[in-house]
Amino acid sequence: MQLLKDKILKEGRVLSDTVLKVDSFLNHQIDPLLMKEIGEEFANRYSDEVITKILTIESSGIAPATMLGLVIGAPVVFARKRKSLTLADNLYSSKVHSFTKNETNEISVSRDFLSPDDNVLIIDDFLANGEAVKGLLDIAQQAEANVIGVGIVIEKGFQQGGQLLREQGIRVESLANIKSLANGQVEFFD
Protein backbone atom coordinates (compact mmCIF):
# COMPACT_ATOMS: atom_id res chain seq x y z
CA MET A 1 0.00 0.00 0.00
CA GLN A 2 1.95 2.93 -1.34
CA LEU A 3 0.06 5.63 0.60
CA LEU A 4 1.02 3.97 3.88
CA LYS A 5 4.65 3.46 2.83
CA ASP A 6 4.89 7.13 1.83
CA LYS A 7 3.46 8.17 5.21
CA ILE A 8 5.97 5.94 7.04
CA LEU A 9 8.88 7.41 5.04
CA LYS A 10 7.67 10.98 5.59
CA GLU A 11 6.54 10.88 9.24
CA GLY A 12 7.93 7.69 10.78
CA ARG A 13 10.97 7.95 13.03
CA VAL A 14 13.46 5.12 13.34
CA LEU A 15 14.46 4.92 17.00
CA SER A 16 16.65 1.82 16.66
CA ASP A 17 17.24 -1.15 14.37
CA THR A 18 14.01 -2.67 15.73
CA VAL A 19 11.79 0.29 16.69
CA LEU A 20 9.80 2.52 14.32
CA LYS A 21 7.79 5.38 15.82
CA VAL A 22 4.60 6.19 13.92
CA ASP A 23 2.71 8.08 16.59
CA SER A 24 1.89 11.02 14.31
CA PHE A 25 -0.61 8.93 12.31
CA LEU A 26 -1.21 5.51 13.93
CA ASN A 27 -0.21 5.02 17.58
CA HIS A 28 -1.07 8.31 19.28
CA GLN A 29 -2.51 10.76 16.80
CA ILE A 30 -4.65 9.06 14.16
CA ASP A 31 -4.88 10.15 10.53
CA PRO A 32 -8.54 9.34 9.74
CA LEU A 33 -8.14 9.61 5.98
CA LEU A 34 -5.25 7.15 6.05
CA MET A 35 -7.27 4.85 8.36
CA LYS A 36 -10.16 4.96 5.88
CA GLU A 37 -7.80 3.86 3.08
CA ILE A 38 -6.38 1.13 5.33
CA GLY A 39 -9.88 -0.18 6.07
CA GLU A 40 -10.70 -0.24 2.37
CA GLU A 41 -7.43 -2.00 1.54
CA PHE A 42 -8.07 -4.76 4.09
CA ALA A 43 -11.63 -5.12 2.73
CA ASN A 44 -10.22 -5.54 -0.79
CA ARG A 45 -7.61 -8.07 0.30
CA TYR A 46 -10.18 -10.18 2.14
CA SER A 47 -13.07 -9.67 -0.30
CA ASP A 48 -13.08 -13.44 -0.97
CA GLU A 49 -14.02 -14.16 2.66
CA VAL A 50 -17.18 -13.79 4.74
CA ILE A 51 -16.13 -11.91 7.88
CA THR A 52 -18.58 -11.85 10.77
CA LYS A 53 -16.26 -10.35 13.41
CA ILE A 54 -13.06 -8.32 13.44
CA LEU A 55 -10.84 -9.01 16.44
CA THR A 56 -8.09 -6.66 17.59
CA ILE A 57 -6.29 -5.59 20.76
CA GLU A 58 -6.44 -2.23 22.49
CA SER A 59 -5.46 0.36 21.70
CA SER A 60 -3.65 0.92 18.41
CA GLY A 61 -5.48 -1.85 16.55
CA ILE A 62 -8.86 -0.27 17.17
CA ALA A 63 -8.70 2.49 14.52
CA PRO A 64 -7.79 0.30 11.51
CA ALA A 65 -10.15 -2.46 12.70
CA THR A 66 -13.04 0.01 13.06
CA MET A 67 -12.47 1.43 9.59
CA LEU A 68 -12.54 -2.09 8.15
CA GLY A 69 -15.71 -2.81 10.12
CA LEU A 70 -17.29 0.31 8.69
CA VAL A 71 -16.42 -0.75 5.12
CA ILE A 72 -17.68 -4.34 5.41
CA GLY A 73 -20.41 -3.87 8.01
CA ALA A 74 -18.93 -6.22 10.62
CA PRO A 75 -18.62 -5.61 14.36
CA VAL A 76 -15.21 -4.98 15.91
CA VAL A 77 -14.28 -6.73 19.15
CA PHE A 78 -11.16 -5.59 20.95
CA ALA A 79 -9.30 -7.51 23.60
CA ARG A 80 -8.85 -5.44 26.71
CA LYS A 81 -5.53 -5.32 28.53
CA ARG A 82 -6.98 -4.27 31.85
CA LYS A 83 -9.85 -5.73 33.77
CA SER A 84 -12.71 -3.49 34.70
CA LEU A 85 -15.79 -3.79 36.87
CA THR A 86 -17.88 -4.42 33.75
CA LEU A 87 -15.49 -7.03 32.32
CA ALA A 88 -14.79 -9.35 35.22
CA ASP A 89 -16.11 -12.81 34.38
CA ASN A 90 -17.34 -14.95 31.48
CA LEU A 91 -14.14 -14.17 29.57
CA TYR A 92 -11.75 -15.64 27.07
CA SER A 93 -8.24 -14.66 28.22
CA SER A 94 -4.65 -15.04 27.09
CA LYS A 95 -1.26 -13.70 28.14
CA VAL A 96 0.63 -11.43 25.73
CA HIS A 97 4.20 -10.20 26.10
CA SER A 98 5.12 -6.82 24.62
CA PHE A 99 8.79 -6.53 23.73
CA THR A 100 8.41 -2.79 23.09
CA LYS A 101 7.03 -2.14 26.58
CA ASN A 102 8.83 -5.11 28.18
CA GLU A 103 5.69 -6.25 30.00
CA THR A 104 3.23 -9.12 29.93
CA ASN A 105 -0.50 -8.41 29.99
CA GLU A 106 -3.51 -10.63 30.28
CA ILE A 107 -5.89 -9.74 27.47
CA SER A 108 -9.58 -10.56 27.68
CA VAL A 109 -12.69 -10.65 25.52
CA SER A 110 -16.22 -11.25 26.77
CA ARG A 111 -17.63 -14.63 25.77
CA ASP A 112 -20.74 -12.72 24.65
CA PHE A 113 -18.92 -11.38 21.58
CA LEU A 114 -17.19 -14.43 20.03
CA SER A 115 -18.73 -17.78 19.16
CA PRO A 116 -18.17 -20.90 17.04
CA ASP A 117 -20.43 -19.31 14.40
CA ASP A 118 -17.96 -16.46 13.80
CA ASN A 119 -15.54 -16.03 10.90
CA VAL A 120 -12.89 -13.82 12.47
CA LEU A 121 -10.34 -11.53 10.87
CA ILE A 122 -7.62 -10.42 13.28
CA ILE A 123 -6.32 -6.86 12.73
CA ASP A 124 -3.36 -5.19 14.45
CA ASP A 125 -1.13 -2.19 13.94
CA PHE A 126 2.27 -3.92 14.10
CA LEU A 127 3.57 -7.45 13.69
CA ALA A 128 7.07 -8.10 15.03
CA ASN A 129 7.46 -11.24 17.11
CA GLY A 130 3.78 -12.12 16.80
CA GLU A 131 2.92 -12.15 20.49
CA ALA A 132 -0.25 -10.03 20.23
CA VAL A 133 -1.54 -12.04 17.28
CA LYS A 134 -0.77 -15.31 19.10
CA GLY A 135 -2.84 -14.09 22.06
CA LEU A 136 -5.73 -13.12 19.78
CA LEU A 137 -5.51 -16.49 17.99
CA ASP A 138 -5.66 -18.20 21.38
CA ILE A 139 -8.80 -16.26 22.29
CA ALA A 140 -10.44 -17.09 18.95
CA GLN A 141 -9.52 -20.76 19.45
CA GLN A 142 -11.07 -20.75 22.94
CA ALA A 143 -14.26 -19.42 21.33
CA GLU A 144 -13.99 -22.12 18.64
CA ALA A 145 -14.32 -19.34 16.07
CA ASN A 146 -12.95 -19.74 12.54
CA VAL A 147 -9.98 -17.44 11.96
CA ILE A 148 -9.82 -16.57 8.27
CA GLY A 149 -6.63 -14.55 8.52
CA VAL A 150 -4.63 -11.71 9.99
CA GLY A 151 -4.37 -8.15 8.69
CA ILE A 152 -1.36 -6.10 9.77
CA VAL A 153 -0.82 -2.41 9.09
CA ILE A 154 3.00 -2.55 9.48
CA GLU A 155 4.96 -5.80 9.59
CA LYS A 156 8.56 -5.86 10.74
CA GLY A 157 9.51 -8.54 8.23
CA PHE A 158 13.01 -8.77 9.66
CA GLN A 159 11.52 -10.23 12.86
CA GLN A 160 10.06 -13.71 13.14
CA GLY A 161 6.34 -13.13 13.81
CA GLY A 162 5.04 -13.09 10.25
CA GLN A 163 7.13 -16.05 9.19
CA LEU A 164 5.99 -18.15 12.17
CA LEU A 165 2.32 -17.39 11.46
CA ARG A 166 2.66 -18.18 7.75
CA GLU A 167 4.45 -21.45 8.56
CA GLN A 168 1.36 -22.41 10.60
CA GLY A 169 -0.77 -21.91 7.48
CA ILE A 170 -2.28 -18.64 8.67
CA ARG A 171 -3.03 -16.11 5.97
CA VAL A 172 -1.24 -12.85 6.81
CA GLU A 173 -1.84 -9.68 4.79
CA SER A 174 0.52 -6.81 5.66
CA LEU A 175 0.00 -3.38 4.14
CA ALA A 176 3.63 -2.36 4.62
CA ASN A 177 6.36 -4.94 5.22
CA ILE A 178 9.64 -3.54 6.51
CA LYS A 179 12.83 -5.28 5.46
CA SER A 180 15.19 -3.21 7.62
CA LEU A 181 15.47 -0.23 9.95
CA ALA A 182 19.29 -0.29 9.89
CA ASN A 183 21.20 2.99 9.93
CA GLY A 184 18.05 4.95 10.71
CA GLN A 185 16.53 4.17 7.30
CA VAL A 186 13.27 2.38 6.52
CA GLU A 187 13.62 -0.21 3.77
CA PHE A 188 10.55 -2.12 2.55
CA PHE A 189 10.22 -5.56 0.98
CA ASP A 190 8.93 -5.26 -2.58
Side-chain angles (χ1 to χ4, degrees), residues 140-151:
Q141 184 178 30
Q142 291 174 49
E144 298 178 9
N146 176 40
V147 175
I148 59 165
V150 174

Side-chain angles (χ1 to χ4, degrees), residues 66-96:
T66 300
M67 290 301 185
L68 170 61
L70 188 62
V71 173
I72 66 172
V76 175
V77 178
F78 65 90
R80 298 184 70 164
K81 294 179 185 173
R82 291 166 193 84
K83 298 232 173 161
S84 72
L85 293 175
T86 61
L87 188 71
D89 55 7
N90 198 30
L91 305 173
Y92 300 118
S93 296
S94 188
K95 294 208 182 295
V96 172

Side-chain angles (χ1 to χ4, degrees), residues 28-143:
H28 193 59
Q29 175 173 269
I30 295 171
D31 179 334
L33 296 177
L34 177 63
M35 287 306 118
K36 179 177 179 285
E37 294 291 328
I38 285 170
E40 290 171 354
E41 182 66 21
F42 281 133
N44 288 336
R45 292 192 185 198
Y46 282 97
S47 64
D48 59 327
E49 300 284 357
V50 175
I51 301 165
T52 61
K53 293 279 172 69
I54 301 162
L55 179 61
T56 191
I57 190 167
E58 68 176 353
S59 63
S60 297
I62 295 173
T66 300
M67 290 301 185
L68 170 61
L70 188 62
V71 173
I72 66 172
V76 175
V77 178
F78 65 90
R80 298 184 70 164
K81 294 179 185 173
R82 291 166 193 84
K83 298 232 173 161
S84 72
L85 293 175
T86 61
L87 188 71
D89 55 7
N90 198 30
L91 305 173
Y92 300 118
S93 296
S94 188
K95 294 208 182 295
V96 172
H97 182 74
S98 168
F99 289 93
T100 307
K101 297 177 183 171
N102 194 28
E103 64 184 25
T104 299
N105 289 299
E106 183 174 60
I107 61 170
S108 302
V109 169
S110 170
R111 290 177 181 261
D112 295 335
F113 301 129
L114 284 179
S115 77
D117 297 329
D118 283 315
N119 290 322
V120 174
L121 178 59
I122 293 172
I123 297 290
D124 205 6
D125 61 337
F126 270 95
L127 175 60
N129 293 302
E131 293 297 310
V133 171
K134 283 190 245 177
L136 293 171
L137 285 166
D138 180 37
I139 284 173
Q141 184 178 30
Q142 291 174 49

Side-chain angles (χ1 to χ4, degrees), residues 16 24 112 124 149 187:
S16 74
S24 68
D112 295 335
D124 205 6
E187 181 183 354

